[in-house]
Amino acid sequence: MSPLLQTLVVAAVVGLSLLSLLRKLAPAMMWQAQARLSYWLERETRPALLHRLGRALRPSLQATTGACGTGCSTCKACK
């Protein structure tokens, strides 16, 4: 495997791990970032493909039992 491909794979794994960590430790911040990206993609000037992607990324407005989505209330974010 070439060094460039290895670097790209490692960068993708690290990025996805960071995203997962932020979703667990900072759910409100990630919800806001997801909502901003969704609404940015849904602007009227964007193509239809980006509109569909924005609707798919739109976060739900209904709160889950735990703010982090696990329902265990260990993160204390649901208070």
Side-chain angles (χ1 to χ4, degrees):
M1 191 183 293
S2 72
L4 178 62
L5 183 59
Q6 285 179 348
T7 303
L8 291 175
V9 168
V10 169
V13 168
V14 169
L16 290 173
S17 297
L18 179 64
L19 185 64
S20 174
L21 178 73
L22 283 174
R23 279 190 169 280
K24 179 70 177 169
L25 297 178
M29 182 183 77
M30 290 303 294
W31 187 92
Q32 289 173 348
Q34 186 177 352
R36 276 191 221 112
L37 176 63
S38 171
Y39 293 129
W40 183 80
L41 289 172
E42 291 183 47
R43 288 186 183 167
E44 292 181 12
T45 59
R46 307 280 184 238
L49 177 65
L50 292 180
H51 276 270
R52 284 193 298 268
L53 181 61
R55 281 192 299 274
L57 287 176
R58 189 182 303 161
S60 64
L61 295 177
Q62 184 179 20
T64 57
T65 54
C68 58
T70 62
C72 65
S73 301
T74 58
C75 63
K76 305 284 190 240
C78 50
K79 285 187 176 182

